[in-house]
Amino acid sequence: MWVIGAVLLFLGCIQLGRGDYIAAVVEYYPTTSNNGANWTIEENVHNYIYQIETAQHFGVQIIVFPEYGLSDVVENPEDYAITIPEVGKNLYISDGFNPLLTLANAAMEHRMYVVANFLERALDTSYRTVFYSTTVVFSNNGSLVAKYRKINIYKEPNLTAGSDLVTFTTAFGTFGLITSMDILYLHPSESIFGNANVTDVIYVAAWTSYIPFYMSLEVQVGYALANKVNLLASNINSPFNGRGGSSIVSSDGTVLRKILTDKPATSYICSNVQAPSTNKDFVLRGFDILDNDTRGTLPNYKNLIDFNYDAYTYHPLDLSSENITDEICSGQFCCNFNILAFANETNSSEVYKLVAYEGTTFFDKEQVGIKFCTVIACLYEDDVSSCGVRPPSSYTTVFRQITVWGTWESNPEDFYRPVSLKGNLDSVYNVTYLENRTNDSLGISYQTTVSHSNVILFGMFVRSGVEALSISLNFVAFLLILQRVF
């Protein structure tokens, strides 16, 4: 069995052609104990070392572990938090176990970049103790080369938000760091590209998936597609809580390797990763040779749903028309659809709708602006609350082609992401995604290039600058108050 596992792991690190570097991503199932926080951290660090040692056998140059991997997801970080020095400072040597020093030595011994997330204890400007979700990077010589504090906190009342963008440079590329909910915010997920040298992004998460728009793999693939960067995405494993789904996605949209399981387990993937093309206008294609709609339905993966169906605009999709062209608007936000589905390949009992929305939603307690335009499957014709959920059995309607496109006013505070979901919780692969931006307008086209069945969702998700507008309005109100006072 060990030999078979080693062969599979070896094959998992092989791609056709010569890669610029070899990356490993670990979806980690944390060890926990009643013996205390120190025991928990120490055991998980030792498990990390085992993964690093395994990775060395396959020439891995950088390995990524998830958020909360050393502690599991905890509400109170105090017992698990450690002090982390700034980049360039020496790691301290203590009489007891030092997880930072242990991982730094492992990085040096195995000549590998190691990315790990810690709960950090620090003092703010008022000398109060605060806690951060902090990702650190050790270089292949053991030095601390990057330290990033998560900027966007989600249901973590005892954590403090960071503010600084962090990148680091290796011999095989310049990497940006983001954590969990950061991926859905302009700062830092898009602002990090203010450093034009960033070719790769490392994404560590304890991501809870909500379908149909926020499934882990869906979000990861969409980010790589939209930004034309390699993405190393490491998620914590807790499928009973809706957590899990990790991937290595190349800058052309290819899902090189992925993990999605409904069993609590630590899993490991690695792949050669090539440098992104210097042509930023190329067509992006996603492809996964291991994709298989007939595989298990992941019955133990908790299906959480976030779909505000009452607020959306719907058009019924008449699949008997075969070649469908339609436009649907929500307010001033309009989406266009071209869909090809042959009559002998559709299932008349299955329901699909076109959906558009421009408005707000809540991320934790924060109201944020979103827009989207999608093709979406529904269980029942007259019940929109049944839209976007996983079906009890696979959808059999075959779409020869789906194209979602539009031209909108170019707003620097808006960013667009392709989103897609199939019944097996994968994204729809074999696609093209194009953006054409001018000073005044933005044109986007997202299209399948091969036939697909079992489609739950296909379209575009937009994060708008509504929250920034809200801040601006509050500021204006504040100025008006000052005028009245003075």
Side-chain angles (χ1 to χ4, degrees), residues 330-363:
S330 174
Q332 301 300 309
F333 181 69
C334 295
C335 316
N336 295 277
F337 299 85
N338 297 109
I339 298 170
L340 180 63
F342 293 162
N344 64 341
E345 296 179 334
T346 62
N347 185 335
S348 60
S349 66
E350 293 177 352
V351 178
Y352 281 90
K353 297 181 184 294
L354 307 179
V355 187
Y357 178 67
E358 179 180 22
T360 61
T361 191
F362 281 92
F363 289 170

Side-chain angles (χ1 to χ4, degrees), residues 213 313 327-330 333-337 353-358 370-376 402-408 416-420 444 446 457-462:
F213 299 110
T313 303
E327 181 183 61
I328 181 171
C329 300
S330 174
F333 181 69
C334 295
C335 316
N336 295 277
F337 299 85
K353 297 181 184 294
L354 307 179
V355 187
Y357 178 67
E358 179 180 22
I370 63 169
K371 308 171 190 173
F372 60 78
C373 43
T374 66
V375 180
I376 197 163
I402 305 174
T403 305
V404 184
W405 62 279
T407 301
W408 302 281
Y416 290 69
R417 302 272 173 83
V419 290
S420 64
I444 294 180
Y446 183 37
L457 176 80
F458 188 88
M460 282 177 282
F461 174 85
V462 190

Side-chain angles (χ1 to χ4, degrees), residues 82-128:
I82 65 171
T83 301
I84 302 176
E86 297 305 315
V87 173
K89 298 291 183 66
N90 293 327
L91 298 176
Y92 60 89
I93 299 176
S94 62
D95 294 334
F97 176 76
N98 184 332
L100 288 169
L101 193 60
T102 301
L103 289 177
N105 288 338
M108 177 175 61
E109 179 182 354
H110 300 288
R111 307 298 298 171
M112 187 185 309
Y113 282 79
V114 174
V115 182
N117 177 270
F118 288 85
L119 289 167
E120 180 192 4
R121 180 193 307 272
L123 296 177
D124 65 10
T125 55
S126 300
Y127 298 99
R128 296 176 303 174

Side-chain angles (χ1 to χ4, degrees), residues 9 32 84 99 165 167 179 183 192 196 208 219 233 252 311 332 336 367 374 386 403 419 455 480:
L9 183 59
T32 59
I84 302 176
L165 298 172
T167 64
T179 303
I183 203 168
I192 201 168
T208 301
V219 172
D252 66 355
Q332 301 300 309
N336 295 277
Q367 190 174 31
T374 66
S386 72
T403 305
V419 290
V455 175
L480 291 174

Side-chain angles (χ1 to χ4, degrees), residues 102-242:
T102 301
L103 289 177
N105 288 338
M108 177 175 61
E109 179 182 354
H110 300 288
R111 307 298 298 171
M112 187 185 309
Y113 282 79
V114 174
V115 182
N117 177 270
F118 288 85
L119 289 167
E120 180 192 4
R121 180 193 307 272
L123 296 177
D124 65 10
T125 55
S126 300
Y127 298 99
R128 296 176 303 174
T129 299
V130 292
F131 302 98
Y132 299 96
S133 171
T134 300
T135 299
V136 299
V137 182
F138 299 105
S139 76
N140 53 12
N141 65 11
S143 60
L144 181 64
V145 294
K147 173 184 174 180
Y148 170 69
R149 292 167 170 168
K150 180 168 65 172
I151 293 173
N152 297 285
I153 306 299
Y154 182 75
K155 294 184 178 179
E156 297 160 300
N158 295 312
L159 291 186
T160 297
S163 59
D164 297 334
L165 298 172
V166 174
T167 64
F168 66 98
T169 300
T170 72
F172 42 85
T174 297
F175 291 76
L177 293 171
I178 60 175
T179 303
S180 210
M181 201 63 176
D182 285 339
I183 203 168
L184 293 183
Y185 282 82
L186 186 71
H187 181 67
S189 76
E190 304 295 320
S191 57
I192 201 168
F193 300 115
N195 180 346
N197 294 320
V198 172
T199 54
D200 304 71
V201 172
I202 292 172
Y203 175 56
V204 303
W207 183 270
T208 301
S209 290
Y210 288 83
I211 59 175
F213 299 110
Y214 308 108
M215 182 62 203
S216 55
L217 294 177
E218 172 185 36
V219 172
Q220 294 163 20
V221 172
Y223 181 81
L225 278 170
N227 292 295
K228 308 174 184 65
V229 290
N230 300 320
L231 182 69
L232 312 181
S234 174
N235 198 5
I236 201 169
N237 177 269
S238 183
F240 299 156
N241 296 309

Side-chain angles (χ1 to χ4, degrees), residues 372-445:
F372 60 78
C373 43
T374 66
V375 180
I376 197 163
C378 307
L379 297 180
Y380 309 109
E381 176 67 48
D382 299 325
D383 183 6
V384 292
S385 68
S386 72
C387 297
V389 303
R390 291 186 70 190
S393 59
S394 296
Y395 290 113
T396 59
T397 291
V398 176
F399 292 96
R400 288 298 184 101
Q401 184 174 292
I402 305 174
T403 305
V404 184
W405 62 279
T407 301
W408 302 281
E409 179 182 354
S410 181
N411 184 340
E413 292 179 341
D414 290 357
F415 59 90
Y416 290 69
R417 302 272 173 83
V419 290
S420 64
L421 187 67
K422 302 187 79 169
N424 61 0
L425 300 182
D426 267 339
S427 290
V428 175
Y429 303 122
N430 297 289
V431 299
T432 62
Y433 179 81
L434 295 173
E435 290 189 8
N436 183 18
R437 188 183 295 270
T438 67
N439 290 334
D440 300 320
S441 66
L442 172 65
I444 294 180
S445 174

Side-chain angles (χ1 to χ4, degrees), residues 282-304:
F282 65 86
V283 175
L284 298 171
R285 291 183 173 85
F287 178 64
D288 189 334
I289 59 173
L290 301 179
D291 188 28
N292 180 6
D293 282 345
T294 63
R295 69 184 183 178
T297 56
L298 304 172
N300 297 318
Y301 195 100
K302 187 173 184 178
N303 291 302
L304 300 168

